[in-house]
Amino acid sequence: MRVETPKELSWTRLVRPILWPVLMAQAALVALCLAIGLSGWWLVPSQASWSATSWLLLALLALLVGSGLNVAVFLTLLRQRLRAGEDRVEAALGRMTNALNAGEGDAPAAAERLDPQATLVERLDALARRLEGQVDRWRCELDARRGAERRLADDLVAQRGRLARLTTGRERAREESRLKSDYLNHLQQVLTPLMASVGEVLASDLFRRDASEAERAAVQGLRERLADTALLLENLVGAPASDSEPARGRVLIVDDGPVNLMLAQQVLERQGLQVSTATSGADALTRLDKQAYDLVFMDIYMADMDGVETCRTWRAREADHADRPRNVVVALTANAGDADRRRFRAAGMDDYLAKPYRPQDLLEVVKRWLPGVLGTGERA
């Protein structure tokens, strides 16, 4: 297939569409001049002088020559404009080629591939191919960046999950630390009267008179070990928690076990709750007559009156306090079978908490029945 040169392209696309109307107008002008000359020749009398006829013919010839010169001037100017346009296009293509070569970093190789004598179409095709290649590279870079962004988003989600697990672990560690501290406090409270009892034994006249030297040394050694243990517990326990934060809920704990009672009280008081305790069912009913409570933890197995009977009596006495809202009663029990839960509900209990329970389980019950009480006041 023959490729047209730039001159042929210019002639075909620019000159020829303009030249034909000009030539047609010039041909019409020549025909008009011939028609006028023939008409004058025909109409001039035979006796007219040849000089007049010659002047008429010269005028027609001058008109033809002038129109021809106009066409030549038009073509010359058109050619100059075409050359100027080609120069501008060549300069623009050169700048675009240099810019692409500078972006790719292989300007010498690109200059060798682009023939300076190549046609305009070939240069445009080469430029289009280079632009397509650049667009493909940009698309690849964009896909790579999007992939990196997706990986960063996945990493961020994973980091958030790890942070949530670390936060949960920290809270559990804090609760375990509080529980251990509560146990240490309880041991310290138990150890103090025990040391006093040992001191009383050592100071008694009966022990001094009847005990042998080995027995006195053994009791004295026991007292020293108890003193060392008390000192160790004092260092481990540290300062007690501050109680400056105001209470935000009233809770009653009914349990005849001193350890469970003390631990539950300390856990809830650290959360800013106002906690009261009762060691029997009768004591709990007495407290009902004095004050209203938002939540009641009721132990099931107690010596004098069990939790089920206490709850029945509690619900019956609530009718005497119509101005108070209905209390939430939660059973504390080691037996949480289906039959036991039905018995608890029949007695008027709202929920249950299986023993042994963790401090976090106790707080979950408070959050479930007293929403918002622990929302802003949990202590670290």
Side-chain angles (χ1 to χ4, degrees), residues 97-155:
T97 303
N98 293 332
L100 288 175
N101 291 336
E104 295 176 357
D106 55 350
E112 292 177 1
R113 289 195 298 269
L114 290 177
D115 186 4
Q117 303 300 327
T119 63
L120 179 62
V121 176
E122 292 173 347
R123 293 195 178 187
L124 290 175
D125 292 339
L127 180 60
R129 287 193 297 270
R130 288 191 172 277
L131 288 175
E132 290 177 358
Q134 187 68 27
V135 170
D136 292 338
R137 284 189 290 273
W138 289 341
R139 187 179 292 111
C140 293
E141 292 177 359
L142 180 60
D143 294 339
R145 291 179 181 177
R146 288 177 178 174
E149 290 177 357
R150 286 193 295 268
R151 289 191 295 272
L152 288 175
D154 295 338
D155 292 341

Side-chain angles (χ1 to χ4, degrees), residues 174-283:
R174 287 179 177 177
E175 292 300 329
E176 291 176 358
S177 176
R178 292 170 185 170
L179 182 60
K180 293 177 181 178
S181 178
D182 294 337
Y183 279 123
L184 292 175
N185 283 325
H186 178 66
L187 288 176
Q188 191 177 25
Q189 294 175 4
V190 172
L191 189 60
T192 300
L194 181 60
M195 290 181 59
S197 299
V198 173
E200 292 175 358
V201 170
L202 287 174
S204 64
D205 296 335
L206 180 64
F207 181 79
R208 290 178 179 178
R209 184 179 63 250
D210 298 337
S212 63
E213 188 67 25
E215 291 176 346
R216 286 195 294 270
V219 175
Q220 184 65 30
L222 176 61
R223 182 180 181 182
E224 291 177 357
R225 292 190 185 93
L226 290 177
D228 294 338
T229 305
L231 180 60
L232 177 62
L233 290 175
E234 184 178 356
N235 293 330
L236 291 176
V237 170
S242 174
D243 295 331
S244 60
E245 191 172 319
R248 296 181 303 278
R250 292 184 296 273
V251 180
L252 175 63
I253 305 175
V254 184
D255 197 334
D256 59 354
V259 176
N260 292 332
L261 189 67
M262 180 195 67
L263 294 180
Q265 180 180 3
Q266 291 184 358
V267 168
L268 296 179
E269 285 181 347
R270 285 174 180 241
Q271 303 301 318
L273 299 174
Q274 181 181 351
V275 182
S276 302
T277 59
T279 57
S280 64
D283 189 9

Side-chain angles (χ1 to χ4, degrees), residues 199-373:
E200 292 175 358
V201 170
L202 287 174
S204 64
D205 296 335
L206 180 64
F207 181 79
R208 290 178 179 178
R209 184 179 63 250
D210 298 337
S212 63
E213 188 67 25
E215 291 176 346
R216 286 195 294 270
V219 175
Q220 184 65 30
L222 176 61
R223 182 180 181 182
E224 291 177 357
R225 292 190 185 93
L226 290 177
D228 294 338
T229 305
L231 180 60
L232 177 62
L233 290 175
E234 184 178 356
N235 293 330
L236 291 176
V237 170
S242 174
D243 295 331
S244 60
E245 191 172 319
R248 296 181 303 278
R250 292 184 296 273
V251 180
L252 175 63
I253 305 175
V254 184
D255 197 334
D256 59 354
V259 176
N260 292 332
L261 189 67
M262 180 195 67
L263 294 180
Q265 180 180 3
Q266 291 184 358
V267 168
L268 296 179
E269 285 181 347
R270 285 174 180 241
Q271 303 301 318
L273 299 174
Q274 181 181 351
V275 182
S276 302
T277 59
T279 57
S280 64
D283 189 9
L285 295 175
T286 301
R287 292 182 178 278
L288 173 63
D289 296 333
K290 297 179 180 179
Q291 184 179 357
Y293 296 95
D294 301 314
L295 182 61
V296 179
F297 288 98
M298 183 76 68
D299 187 21
I300 296 299
Y301 297 102
M302 292 184 292
D304 59 341
M305 182 187 301
D306 64 3
V308 176
E309 183 181 355
T310 303
C311 186
R312 290 196 185 99
T313 307
W314 184 286
R315 294 303 186 194
R317 290 191 181 182
E318 278 184 340
D320 299 335
H321 304 282
D323 56 332
R324 299 179 184 177
R326 183 179 181 274
N327 302 131
V328 178
V329 180
V330 179
L332 301 177
T333 178
N335 299 325
D338 294 337
D340 295 316
R341 291 197 293 270
R342 288 194 294 269
R343 188 163 59 95
F344 299 158
R345 286 194 295 269
M349 293 184 172
D350 302 287
D351 200 353
Y352 73 94
L353 180 60
K355 290 183 176 182
Y357 53 83
R358 300 175 304 163
Q360 187 62 32
D361 300 331
L362 197 67
L363 297 178
E364 289 296 331
V365 174
V366 175
K367 291 178 181 179
R368 181 163 60 248
W369 290 104
L370 301 178
V373 173

